[in-house]
Amino acid sequence: MEALSANIKEDLKPPRVNIGIIGWVRANLFNGVFNSILTIVMLFLLWKTIPPLLQWAFIDSTWLAGSASCRQSPEGACWSIISKNFRFIIFGFYPYELQWRPLVAMIILFSLLFYSRNRNNWKKSLGYAWITGLILMGILMKGGLLGLKSVETTQWGGLPLTLLLAVFGLTAAYPLGVVLALGRQSKMKGVKVLSILYIELIRGVPLISLLFMSSIIFPLFLPEGITINKILRAQVAIILFTAAYIAEVVRGGLQGMTQGQYEAAEALGLNYYLTLRLVILPQALKIVIPPTVSILISAFKDTSLVVIIALFDLLKTTQSVLSNPEWMGFSREAYMFIAILYFAGCFSMSNYSRKLERELSRG
Amino acid sequence: MDNALSEKVPFWLDPKKRSLIYQMFIFCMVGLLAYYLVSNTLTNLKRQSIATGFGFIQKESSFEIGESLIPYSAADTYGRALIVGALNTLKVSFVGIIFSLIIGTLIGVGRLSSNWLVSKISSLYIEVMQDIPILLQLFFWYALFYEALPSPQNSLSPFKGVFLCNRGAAFAVPAAHPAYKYMLLALLIGAITAYAIRRWARKRQEKTGQLFPVFTVSLGLIVVLPLFTWVAFGAPLKMNIPRLSGFNFVGGVTVSPEFIALFLGLVLYTAAFVAEVVRAGIQSVSTGQTEAAMAIGLKKGAILNLVILPQALRVIIPPLTSQMLNLTKNSSLAVAIGYPDFVSVANTTINQTGQSIEGVALIMTIYLIFSLSTSVFMNWYNKKVALVER
């Protein structure tokens, strides 16, 4: 009797099946008949796909041996297509003994990106650091200065080319996009019409038509004797294309500004340029940072389209490895590797964009 | 007084005149640039003795196209080849849009599911697909078809009547029978009647407040009427099953690996974006709306139809149309894997005739027509669903 009353005085614990792992599973996987069926179907599908995939990718796979031993074990993945051709896939036809130069350029780029992640570091000095970095990267790639051996742009390729097209594409497209957005908001009818025409025309056509234009029509535009190299032409096409999309994003930010901001700036006696520089753009561009990052992501992905006009970017170097009879038939492994590289790049950008969005909404 | 003031202001400080000068300057610059480019182009064309104009459209194309919706042979004109290409673009876009809408909606809803596993798998899918370039995905699916699938002789057959091999896929389809024509007619009649009933029911509800089970009746009309026709014709069951003859399948419907790779790539890629749009649309309707609708005693179906969907669709439709347009534009990447879409046919035409300017202009025009007609539709739709505020 005594023992019983002592028991009652204790706090009544929730039933064992409502807490801990069992509770979580019940609440999240088996709440209701429909969800239970769904869970079981999903588990079945996962069990059917994941173990064979792991078996293929890790257990039966060949990592370092040559293609001959890959062909002996066809049930596993052949990752040696990557390990054996790694430097060609990454650097393309860049002279073998000079490949440290694009490597250093990429390291500079990544460290700049890494440093710029923190918004507290966004100062004027960072802007100068970027400009210096970009120039340095250009010198490293091209050579011909400071005792570096000159490397023709036709030999550029692989990951450095992909990054170059994306980074320079965006840095040049951004100011152009801002100008176009301002043109579209302008009170001057003529400027407005021109901007709208440009933006809608570019956004209406696929990038590939612009790339075709750059590779086959652009040479016709130039006077006789002047040629511009292929990479630069593709770069211009990417810039013109991206600028139209940035313009639309920036326009969203400009429309978010209330009329009061303009009026207040006018009341202070600021002219158009100063109004934009000191009042409107700092606010408008801040609002549109997250959508700008998603433009950056799609610009990065879109650089892969230069394959079609036969520039040796990351995808094209991989394909040329695949067209080598020794490595023919291992496309899945090669494309998966490239996909992982692109995924890593895009995922870190979109993750960063989400983080930034949270920070900005907190104020 | 006013006049005197404006006379004193020099013209470069008068905003109106100044903006006029700016605009004239910009137009002059644009005009000069255009003149420079055009004159350069003309001299270059003359030097390389390339004829301009669209005369080549009438000439014999003398190249074959792998798949075509209309009869076509190498003896036909370039014009017809381009039409074949445009139809192929429309074909893959149309089928792709339907499937990406279905899959995307499922994944978008799955993303919000209370089932942890479903929601995690959906978000993983969205993240992975969005972050890999569509071109790479196309190459991957194409390579998968060519390398992982066996030759037609030992083709895989995952379901009865479906064959997969490195030459494409073959499906069994119902053998031709006059009943199908009438079934289509019955379906059409059912759909029109359902539409009429819906309008009538809405009018009656506005007048009398009485509800009419529109959904059940329409479903009945659309499903039962064709089914009834089918039974009336003796329920034909004969199937046209593909069988191997030599190195290829005959009978049934065969689909080329290029089409399947393009279709898979476009659908799986776009579905991820559609899923995000759908998720955002559903989340934009606050739970308070559902609760309020429940409080006034609406049934579950009515809540969805009258409260949630009208609000969610207003958010969903505009980005969704731009995704559909993106799919159509991305279908131009067909040129990379050899599916004969418009860009690919135009590219061949350019290579054969050297009419690069006309060819690229044609590509741009076709896509501009697509996107302009979409934006006309969008403007109409936005006006229709715009919030009417008092």
Side-chain angles (χ1 to χ4, degrees):
Chain A
M1 198 60 203
E2 202 123 288
L4 193 71
S5 61
N7 257 350
I8 288 170
K9 267 178 202 156
E10 264 182 41
D11 280 346
L12 209 58
K13 279 188 182 137
R16 195 164 276 241
V17 289
N18 284 351
I19 51 164
I21 295 172
I22 300 174
W24 183 88
V25 167
R26 269 181 52 144
N28 290 299
L29 294 177
F30 293 99
N31 48 341
V33 179
F34 178 68
N35 263 345
S36 307
I37 296 172
L38 215 55
T39 305
I40 290 167
V41 170
M42 281 291 164
L43 284 177
F44 177 74
L45 286 179
L46 286 180
W47 183 66
K48 273 279 175 203
T49 51
I50 300 295
L53 200 64
L54 293 180
Q55 175 95 12
W56 175 80
F58 295 109
I59 297 171
D60 292 338
S61 53
T62 319
W63 292 86
L64 294 169
S67 64
S69 68
C70 275
R71 303 227 184 260
Q72 276 163 15
S73 57
E75 66 283 348
C78 175
W79 299 115
S80 27
I81 185 175
I82 307 299
S83 53
K84 289 276 177 203
N85 302 299
F86 188 72
R87 281 184 67 165
F88 181 76
I89 289 176
I90 297 295
F91 296 112
F93 290 109
Y94 208 89
Y96 195 82
E97 65 283 0
L98 298 179
Q99 282 174 2
W100 61 271
R101 276 161 45 184
L103 184 69
V104 172
M106 286 198 288
I107 291 172
I108 295 175
L109 177 67
F110 285 126
S111 30
L112 276 172
L113 282 173
F114 189 78
Y115 186 70
S116 315
R117 259 167 22 116
N118 192 345
R119 270 200 315 138
N120 296 334
N121 295 337
W122 291 7
K123 287 170 207 141
K124 217 166 214 176
S125 54
L126 185 64
Y128 293 131
W130 266 101
I131 293 169
T132 328
L134 288 179
I135 293 171
L136 211 61
M137 280 177 239
I139 293 174
L140 275 170
M141 288 295 289
K142 183 84 181 81
L145 275 174
L146 313 171
L148 292 170
K149 218 169 121 199
S150 172
V151 177
E152 283 303 310
T153 49
T154 43
Q155 291 177 304
W156 295 10
L159 189 58
L161 181 63
T162 298
L163 292 173
L164 181 105
L165 288 173
V167 170
F168 279 87
L170 207 89
T171 26
Y174 196 75
L176 185 59
V178 172
V179 170
L180 281 168
L182 289 172
R184 195 170 181 164
Q185 297 287 94
S186 166
K187 287 196 189 84
M188 300 183 221
K189 274 272 152 56
V191 175
K192 191 172 176 173
V193 168
L194 277 182
S195 309
I196 291 180
L197 263 181
Y198 178 85
I199 293 171
E200 293 305 325
L201 187 79
I202 298 285
R203 278 162 44 93
V205 299
L207 173 57
I208 184 165
S209 62
L210 286 185
L211 287 173
F212 274 151
M213 204 163 151
S214 82
S215 76
I216 52 185
I217 298 187
F218 196 74
L220 290 176
F221 284 165
L222 297 174
E224 200 184 345
I226 297 182
T227 49
I228 294 183
N229 79 62
K230 218 170 167 181
I231 293 179
L232 191 63
R233 291 193 323 241
Q235 180 79 80
V236 168
I238 289 175
I239 291 170
L240 293 180
F241 184 75
T242 315
Y245 285 82
I246 288 181
E248 281 301 272
V249 164
V250 173
R251 180 168 75 115
L254 290 176
Q255 282 176 341
M257 292 294 104
T258 52
Q259 200 56 40
Q261 297 284 342
Y262 291 95
E263 284 163 8
E266 225 167 273
L268 286 174
L270 299 178
N271 62 19
Y272 179 73
Y273 171 74
L274 284 178
T275 310
L276 287 180
R277 211 185 90 62
L278 299 174
V279 181
I280 303 299
L281 284 184
Q283 299 183 72
L285 295 185
K286 190 179 153 192
I287 305 175
V288 296
I289 287 173
T292 312
V293 178
S294 50
I295 299 279
L296 174 67
I297 294 174
S298 48
F300 180 54
K301 284 191 294 179
D302 281 345
T303 55
S304 62
L305 262 58
V306 296
V307 167
I308 296 170
I309 56 166
L311 284 188
F312 274 82
D313 80 326
L314 191 56
L315 197 48
K316 188 77 182 172
T317 53
T318 313
Q319 281 189 323
S320 59
V321 168
L322 286 169
S323 63
N324 178 351
E326 196 191 340
W327 297 106
M328 225 172 243
F330 300 114
S331 313
R332 273 168 293 167
E333 292 87 344
Y335 287 144
M336 271 184 191
F337 172 70
I338 303 299
I340 290 169
L341 287 188
Y342 272 106
F343 178 79
C346 295
F347 183 69
S348 46
M349 280 190 268
S350 65
N351 235 354
Y352 177 65
S353 151
R354 275 189 289 254
K355 186 185 133 220
L356 213 56
E357 215 166 330
R358 275 197 301 275
E359 279 179 12
L360 289 178
S361 66
R362 247 187 275 133
Chain B
M1 178 66 201
D2 232 28
N3 266 342
L5 200 68
S6 67
E7 266 162 34
K8 262 183 225 157
V9 175
F11 71 93
W12 62 86
L13 287 180
D14 182 347
K16 263 189 195 154
K17 285 176 191 155
R18 198 165 50 178
S19 92
L20 210 64
I21 291 167
Y22 281 153
Q23 291 183 56
M24 270 161 62
F25 176 72
I26 289 172
F27 270 107
C28 281
M29 291 306 281
V30 172
L32 274 178
L33 185 71
Y35 172 76
Y36 175 70
L37 295 180
V38 168
S39 68
N40 273 339
T41 311
L42 289 180
T43 3
N44 281 328
L45 287 177
K46 201 177 271 174
R47 193 161 44 82
Q48 298 173 6
S49 58
I50 302 174
T52 47
F54 288 92
F56 68 93
I57 281 184
Q58 303 288 338
K59 286 187 194 144
E60 188 182 307
S61 64
S62 65
F63 63 88
E64 288 290 343
I65 295 180
E67 48 197 291
S68 165
L69 289 173
I70 52 172
Y72 170 84
S73 76
D76 284 316
T77 59
Y78 282 114
R80 196 173 175 84
L82 289 169
I83 292 173
V84 169
L87 286 176
N88 278 339
T89 295
L90 284 179
K91 178 173 100 177
V92 75
S93 312
F94 182 73
V95 185
I97 283 173
I98 292 174
F99 276 85
S100 59
L101 279 181
I102 297 170
I103 297 176
T105 311
L106 284 178
I107 295 171
V109 173
R111 176 80 180 70
L112 295 173
S113 163
S114 60
N115 189 320
W116 181 84
L117 197 62
V118 172
S119 141
K120 282 290 166 245
I121 290 178
S122 307
S123 56
L124 185 75
Y125 175 88
I126 294 172
E127 197 63 62
V128 169
M129 284 296 167
Q130 283 191 342
D131 286 350
I132 298 174
I134 169 82
L135 187 62
L136 182 54
Q137 296 192 28
L138 292 182
F139 282 142
F140 181 80
W141 294 119
Y142 194 53
L144 200 66
F145 242 88
Y146 259 86
E147 289 171 8
L149 288 179
S151 61
Q153 279 85 348
N154 340 307
S155 56
L156 300 173
S157 183
F159 307 101
K160 204 170 176 298
V162 178
F163 297 94
L164 289 171
C165 64
N166 57 13
R167 297 249 179 129
F171 303 93
V173 285
H177 191 282
Y180 296 118
K181 224 185 270 170
Y182 291 99
M183 276 173 76
L184 197 71
L185 198 68
L187 184 77
L188 216 66
I189 293 172
I192 292 170
T193 328
Y195 181 70
I197 287 178
R198 186 168 158 259
R199 290 194 62 168
W200 167 81
R202 187 164 281 179
K203 268 201 189 127
R204 193 183 75 150
Q205 195 193 348
E206 275 170 11
K207 262 193 204 142
T208 63
Q210 283 172 300
L211 277 174
F212 185 81
V214 180
F215 185 71
T216 332
V217 172
S218 320
L219 199 71
L221 274 172
I222 290 169
V223 174
V224 172
L225 221 57
L227 211 65
F228 188 73
T229 327
W230 184 61
V231 173
F233 271 89
L237 271 175
K238 199 169 169 293
M239 295 290 273
N240 187 354
I241 295 168
R243 68 202 152 69
L244 201 63
S245 149
F247 291 106
N248 273 314
F249 282 100
V250 288
V253 169
T254 47
V255 190
S256 69
E258 290 84 13
F259 179 83
I260 296 177
L262 184 62
F263 169 78
L264 267 181
L266 288 177
V267 166
L268 296 179
Y269 182 74
T270 315
F273 290 89
V274 170
E276 279 295 89
V277 170
V278 169
R279 180 190 60 84
I282 295 174
Q283 281 184 332
S284 73
V285 183
S286 68
T287 46
Q289 297 280 339
T290 320
E291 288 163 6
M294 277 178 184
I296 55 172
L298 289 181
K299 284 185 197 146
K300 232 181 176 175
I303 294 177
L304 196 70
N305 256 327
L306 302 174
V307 180
I308 309 289
L309 277 185
Q311 298 187 62
L313 283 184
R314 189 178 294 137
V315 180
I316 289 176
I317 298 280
L320 207 56
T321 28
S322 87
Q323 283 310 324
M324 302 298 98
L325 203 58
N326 276 350
L327 186 144
T328 314
K329 278 193 271 176
N330 283 336
S331 77
S332 64
L333 298 181
V335 66
I337 55 169
Y339 174 76
D341 83 320
F342 188 79
V343 174
S344 159
V345 173
N347 195 28
T348 316
T349 308
I350 291 172
N351 288 339
Q352 286 196 0
T353 61
Q355 308 280 2
S356 48
I357 298 178
E358 291 84 351
V360 175
L362 276 175
I363 297 175
M364 290 186 155
T365 316
I366 282 278
Y367 280 97
L368 275 179
I369 290 173
F370 288 152
S371 63
L372 284 182
S373 43
T374 312
S375 57
V376 167
F377 163 77
M378 274 321 303
N379 286 341
W380 169 81
Y381 179 83
N382 276 336
K383 273 208 192 97
K384 192 168 168 256
V385 301
L387 268 182
V388 183
E389 291 187 50
R390 273 166 294 177

